[in-house]
Structure formats: C-alpha cells, structure tokens
Amino acid sequence: MRTACVFTREDDILKTAGRINAFTGALVAEREPLDAWYLGDEKEGAAETARCVAGIGTAVRCPLDSGTLPENMLDNLEALYRERQPELLIFTAGSGALAARLAARIGGTCLTGCRTLGRDAEGLWVRRTVYNSHADAVCRPQGRPLVLSVSKAGPVSESSVGESEQAAITEVSPVLKHYGYCLDRKLKGSREKNPLEEAKLVLVGGRGLGSRENYERLKRLARAWGGACGCTRAAAINGWADVADIIGQSGHVIRAELCITLGVSGAAPFMAGLENVKNLVAVNSDPDAPVFKGADYGLAGDALEVLEAWEKQAEEQRHEN
Ligand SMILES: Cc1cc2nc3c(=O)[nH]c(=O)nc-3n(C[C@H](O)[C@H](O)[C@H](O)COP(=O)(O)OP(=O)(O)OC[C@H]3O[C@@H](n4cnc5c(N)ncnc54)[C@H](O)[C@@H]3O)c2cc1C
C-alpha cells in the first residue's frame, strides 16, 4: 500500500517524527513504501523529517511560504495526490482539518485523531479517539484513498525516532491560485492559559455548594492554598461560576496532584475531566453519590461545614505566617 506522510511547516520535526514512527510502525515492519511530503519554507525541514522518520523512500518538498492560505496548501496536496496516487495519506497531529478537507476533494475516507494503525486478516484497522478524546474506538475503514490524521494524545514516543537512510528530496513547484483573500498577519492565540490546566491542587465546586457566594468562598480558599478553583457544568449553568472553569467532557481535563470536590455528584461527563488526577477527595452529603466510587478519600457530610472549617484553618495559617 503506497503511503504518503504529510508534514506541514508548523510541525515540530522531532516530536512529529516520533509520533509518525510510532503510528506507521506496522507498515514499516511490512516494508511498505513510504513517501514524505513536506509543505514548507524551511530548506532543511524536509531533509530533517525524512531522516527522522523510519522507512521513508521518497521525500518531496513543496516550498510554500508562511503566508500561504490553507486553500493553496490543499491545491498542492491535491496535485501531489493526483500525480502520485497513494492509497493512504497520513497527516500529523494538528492537521486534522487539512486531512478532512483533502479527503473531501479527492473523494477519500477520512479519520482524524488516530492513535494506532494495524493490519490483520480483515485488512486495516485504526484505533482513534472519540467523545472528545475521552474514549477510543477501533474502526475498519473501507474507502480509499484513506486519509488519516494522527492524534496529539499518542502514540507518542520520542524515542521512536527512526534511523532512515537519508531520502533524496525532490522539489516540486507550488501551484498558487488566487482565492480572493490573503493572509494579512497571524495573531498569536490571545487566550490566557487557564491555571486549572497546570495547577497541582484544584478545588471543585458543584451544585451542592448552593450559591454563587459559596463558590466565591471556595475560590478564595483555593487561592489561599496556592491552588486553582474549577466548577461543574451545573454550577456554571446556575451562573455561580465562569464557564471557562468547567471541568469535564465540555471543559478542562486537569492533572492535579490533589483534587477536592465539594457538592459534586460525580456524573460521568464531569469525571472524564479527572482522569489524570493523582488523588481525589470528595465531599458530598449523599453517601451514595457516584463521586465516591472514583474518589481516593470520601467525606460524607455537608460541604459548607467543611468549607467553613478549612476557611478557618487557612485564616489561622495566614496569621501564623
Ligand atoms: C454532553 C454533556 C456534556 C457534559 N459535560 C459536562 C462537563 O464537562 N462537566 C460537568 O461538570 N458536567 C457536564 N455535564 C453535566 C453532567 O452530566 C452533570 O449534570 C453535572 O456534572 C452535575 O453537576 P453537579 O455534580 O454540580 O450537580 P448535581 O448532579 O446536581 O450534584 C450535586 C451534588 O451535591 C450534593 N449536595 C447537595 N447539597 C450538598 C451539601 N450541602 N454538601 C455536600 N454535598 C451536597 C448532592 O448530593 C449531589 O450529589 C455534561 C452533560 C452532557 C449531557
């Protein structure tokens, strides 16, 4: 099966190569022909990528500068596809949109967020992330050409950088059609990183806190303890907390050393946000609340009493210091 791995100029070469190597391992083991297509302006990029990805036989570079529109990238990918006709195209993590758009242009089948590629008696199978990356599914893609993009979530293996013979690079001339608009400038993402994503300690307030005032108290306590404060969707819907602080399937997946939930039932969409938490402590007045099933420590009691006790303790500590 002729395969092309597509690299765009934004890729971090070593990380990308590690992911692609892990992903294409099964093909390389079967000595399938692998091409590298590199769209970008860094002269050395193609060579470097081709050297780090195992099994690359042919490397093609299409020099596109940083002002190139996605449409122009797609024109060039489509031209490369028409010329070389690979059955399988593999895009790097972060290029899922390009992959989907190319598949639509060439009448292919597209799967994004792919983690593992394998082959058995029934043909190719792909393991990919589903439900906003909270679960994986195994798919059997039937259509060809097959266009896949690799998931950021893995398979990541920095050590799996290959030791390919350096592939000779063919340079192709880019096609640059006019699309009625041009890139004026690229703006850096202005979104500030939410402290929840990095915090070692996270306190979470749920509907059981009962009011906006109590959620504000929890936020102050989190600050006093040097942590961050998040909420459930129910708390945000009630207007007590900011939607940007929702934890769970529709919000942040946190990786705190310690997470303490107060007045949170532990619904599955919320718990999905805690999968990387090391220690979970839950406070809930209902001893049968589902949250206790996933908790390392549980306190069946009134969240407001607990909050008050911790506030006192924090205040005492503040005076001592
Ligand atoms: C597609 C979809 C995506 C979703 N995504 C998310 C998401 O990302 N994040 C999220 O949080 N939710 C999400 N939800 C909603 C989720 O299913 C729950 O409705 C939500 O998590 C419930 O929030 P809660 O635990 O604060 O409220 P509730 O479920 O109402 O729980 C409140 C808890 O507080 C306890 N309690 C009450 N009073 C006290 C007290 N005084 N002291 C101690 N405990 C008390 C109760 O026993 C109860 O267990 C999603 C739902 C859907 C359908």
Side-chain angles (χ1 to χ4, degrees):
M1 174 179 271
R2 179 152 283 284
T3 301
C5 300
V6 182
F7 303 97
T8 61
R9 58 175 178 267
E10 266 128 329
D11 297 323
D12 169 332
I13 287 165
L14 281 184
K15 226 180 209 169
T16 302
R19 284 190 180 117
I20 295 289
N21 277 320
F23 190 71
T24 55
L27 299 176
V28 173
E30 292 174 25
R31 303 202 167 276
E32 297 273 6
L34 221 59
D35 291 356
W37 297 354
Y38 184 83
L39 281 73
D41 52 0
E42 302 100 323
K43 271 230 167 343
E44 293 309 305
E48 188 70 5
T49 311
R51 203 170 52 235
C52 297
V53 172
I56 295 290
T58 312
V60 182
R61 187 170 87 90
C62 182
L64 293 171
D65 68 28
S66 56
T68 310
L69 303 177
E71 280 76 5
N72 293 133
M73 295 181 84
L74 286 161
D75 287 342
N76 286 284
L77 286 170
E78 190 179 347
L80 280 171
Y81 169 74
R82 304 268 173 229
E83 188 194 320
R84 289 160 189 270
Q85 303 274 323
E87 276 181 89
L88 173 61
L89 291 114
I90 300 174
F91 281 72
T92 55
S95 293
L98 271 186
R101 292 178 69 186
L102 180 68
R105 281 185 176 215
I106 63 178
T109 295
C110 182
L111 289 172
T112 54
C114 302
R115 306 191 70 170
T116 318
L117 177 65
R119 202 195 318 250
D120 58 20
E122 288 169 57
L124 274 190
W125 57 264
V126 177
R127 178 175 165 163
R128 64 182 294 249
T129 57
V130 290
Y131 301 131
N132 205 14
S133 302
H134 294 309
D136 282 4
V138 174
C139 307
R140 287 208 177 265
Q142 316 280 308
R144 298 288 183 276
L146 177 58
V147 186
L148 307 177
S149 76
V150 176
S151 162
K152 274 195 183 140
V156 185
S157 167
E158 306 290 334
S159 61
S160 63
V161 169
E163 287 175 21
S164 237
E165 295 280 301
Q166 174 134 22
I169 298 162
T170 311
E171 193 160 307
V172 294
S173 310
V175 195
L176 289 170
K177 274 197 259 168
H178 188 59
Y179 274 95
Y181 78 105
C182 62
L183 279 188
D184 183 28
R185 62 209 148 111
K186 286 188 176 170
L187 304 174
K188 273 228 153 105
S190 57
R191 189 177 79 94
E192 272 179 35
K193 224 175 181 190
N194 191 309
L196 279 170
E197 288 170 17
E198 303 294 333
K200 298 258 183 289
L201 167 70
V202 174
L203 304 188
V204 187
R207 203 201 309 259
L209 280 185
S211 70
R212 185 185 180 87
E213 290 67 40
N214 291 336
Y215 184 74
E216 287 299 321
R217 287 168 61 193
L218 190 68
K219 269 170 82 170
R220 283 195 292 276
L221 181 66
R223 266 200 301 276
W225 281 355
C229 189
C231 64
T232 62
R233 199 170 80 158
I237 285 173
N238 277 341
W240 307 339
D242 195 328
V243 284
D245 294 340
I246 293 176
I247 290 169
Q249 181 181 326
S250 332
H252 302 279
V253 177
I254 59 169
R255 42 176 191 222
E257 299 283 330
L258 174 62
C259 171
I260 307 175
T261 66
L262 290 95
V264 172
S265 60
F270 167 76
M271 295 303 279
L274 305 189
E275 61 185 17
N276 300 327
V277 161
K278 292 244 167 62
N279 296 290
L280 174 62
V281 176
V283 182
N284 194 304
S285 53
D286 174 5
D288 296 323
V291 69
F292 289 130
K293 290 205 184 83
D296 298 290
Y297 301 94
L299 203 160
D302 186 352
L304 298 180
E305 278 179 24
V306 174
L307 178 59
E308 198 176 326
W310 283 343
E311 281 173 332
K312 272 195 191 137
Q313 195 195 40
E315 189 58 22
E316 281 164 18
Q317 261 170 357
R318 198 170 68 85
H319 284 303
E320 278 168 24
N321 297 334

